[in-house]
Amino acid sequence: MHSYDMKPYEIVKEYGVEALEDDELLAVFIRTGTKEQNAVEVANRILDSFPERSLLGLCRIPWRELMKISGIGEVKAIRLKCLAELARRISRMTAKKGLKFDRPETIWQYYKESMRHEERERVLLIMLDQKLRMICDAVLSIGTIRESVVSPRELFIMALREKAVQIMLVHNHPSGDPTPSRADLEITERVRLLGAMMEIPLVDHIIIGDKTYCSLRENGYLVI
C-alpha cells in the first residue's frame, strides 16, 4: 500500500504503474490542477461526474462536456479523449488476436462497448476468412440502416478487395432494443441473396442493443 502523500510519478517509480488508482492515473495526463485543487483532486471531479465512477466514462463523455469541470480546459479535454480512444483501440487489438466469430455472443462481446452507447445507428461490414476469423471491418454508414447504408454493390466491392470468404453485418439500435425492424430484415435479405450469387455468404446480422443483442440467424430471420 503506497502513501497517500506520494505523487503519481513517485508511486510509479516506487511501486510500478499498476499501483496507481484511477484518479492518480488520470492525474498523470491532467498534469496540473487549479489554485484550489491539485491534479488528483481534479481527476476525482471527473470520475465523480460519471454515474459508475469508472474510467469507461471517458469513452462516452464528449470533450466539450469535460471542459465544464473546473481545471479542464480545451487542451486537457482533448488529451483525455485521445487517451480514452488509445485505450479503446489497444483493447480492441488485444481482443482481436485469435478471435473467431463462430458465435453471435462473441461478436456482441467484441463490439458492445464501442456501439451500444452510440446516439445514431452505425452499420459495420465484418469481413471474414474461411474459418470465421476477422480479416477487417469497415463502417458502411452512420444514420439509419434504411436511409444511409451503402449500396450492396459497394459492400461487395469492399469484400472482394479484402479477399473475404464470408461476411457479417453488425449495427446498433440507439433505443437499446435490438428487435429487428422491417428495414433491417429487408437489407439483410438483399445482402443475403447477393452474397449467395457472389459466393460470399452473409453468415449473420447482429443487432446490438443496451446489454443485449439479436442474431438474425439465431432467431430464424436469416437462413444460410
Side-chain angles (χ1 to χ4, degrees), residues 114-115 117-125 138-151 158 170-174:
S114 62
M115 295 186 72
H117 298 291
E118 291 279 349
E119 295 181 357
R120 302 173 67 190
E121 286 193 16
R122 182 182 294 264
V123 185
L124 301 180
L125 171 65
V139 177
L140 291 177
S141 71
I142 299 175
T144 67
I145 199 164
R146 179 182 291 278
E147 293 173 359
S148 60
V149 70
V150 298
S151 70
M158 287 186 196
V170 176
H171 85 280
N172 62 303
H173 277 182

Side-chain angles (χ1 to χ4, degrees), residues 99-107 131-132 168 217:
L99 189 65
K100 187 177 179 182
F101 284 0
D102 55 346
R103 293 182 297 115
E105 185 178 1
T106 304
I107 294 93
K131 295 183 178 180
L132 289 175
M168 187 178 295
R217 178 174 59 81

Side-chain angles (χ1 to χ4, degrees), residues 109-167:
Q109 291 287 351
Y110 185 69
Y111 286 103
K112 65 178 182 179
E113 287 306 323
S114 62
M115 295 186 72
R116 69 186 179 120
H117 298 291
E118 291 279 349
E119 295 181 357
R120 302 173 67 190
E121 286 193 16
R122 182 182 294 264
V123 185
L124 301 180
L125 171 65
I126 316 301
M127 288 159 275
L128 305 163
D129 66 13
Q130 187 65 49
K131 295 183 178 180
L132 289 175
R133 292 179 300 220
M134 185 168 71
I135 298 170
C136 64
D137 58 12
V139 177
L140 291 177
S141 71
I142 299 175
T144 67
I145 199 164
R146 179 182 291 278
E147 293 173 359
S148 60
V149 70
V150 298
S151 70
R153 174 180 175 274
E154 292 186 28
L155 183 157
F156 282 102
I157 287 174
M158 287 186 196
L160 288 167
R161 184 172 62 237
E162 300 296 337
K163 297 180 173 58
V165 178
Q166 307 172 82
I167 58 171

Side-chain angles (χ1 to χ4, degrees), residues 163-192:
K163 297 180 173 58
V165 178
Q166 307 172 82
I167 58 171
M168 187 178 295
L169 292 175
V170 176
H171 85 280
N172 62 303
H173 277 182
S175 67
D177 180 2
T179 303
S181 66
R182 179 177 294 181
D184 294 335
L185 299 178
E186 289 174 355
I187 291 293
T188 301
E189 181 61 11
R190 286 176 62 195
V191 174
R192 184 192 72 79

Side-chain angles (χ1 to χ4, degrees), residues 6-50:
M6 297 179 73
K7 294 180 180 180
Y9 285 97
E10 296 171 342
I11 294 168
V12 172
K13 288 191 289 184
E14 184 72 21
Y15 300 103
V17 69
E18 63 275 6
L20 291 176
E21 300 290 343
D22 287 353
D23 55 353
E24 295 165 335
L25 188 60
L26 276 182
V28 172
F29 295 92
I30 294 170
R31 298 179 63 181
T32 58
T34 66
K35 290 181 179 179
E36 295 78 24
Q37 296 180 313
N38 61 32
V40 175
E41 290 169 326
V42 172
N44 269 294
R45 286 176 60 85
I46 293 173
L47 291 171
D48 288 340
S49 69
F50 306 144

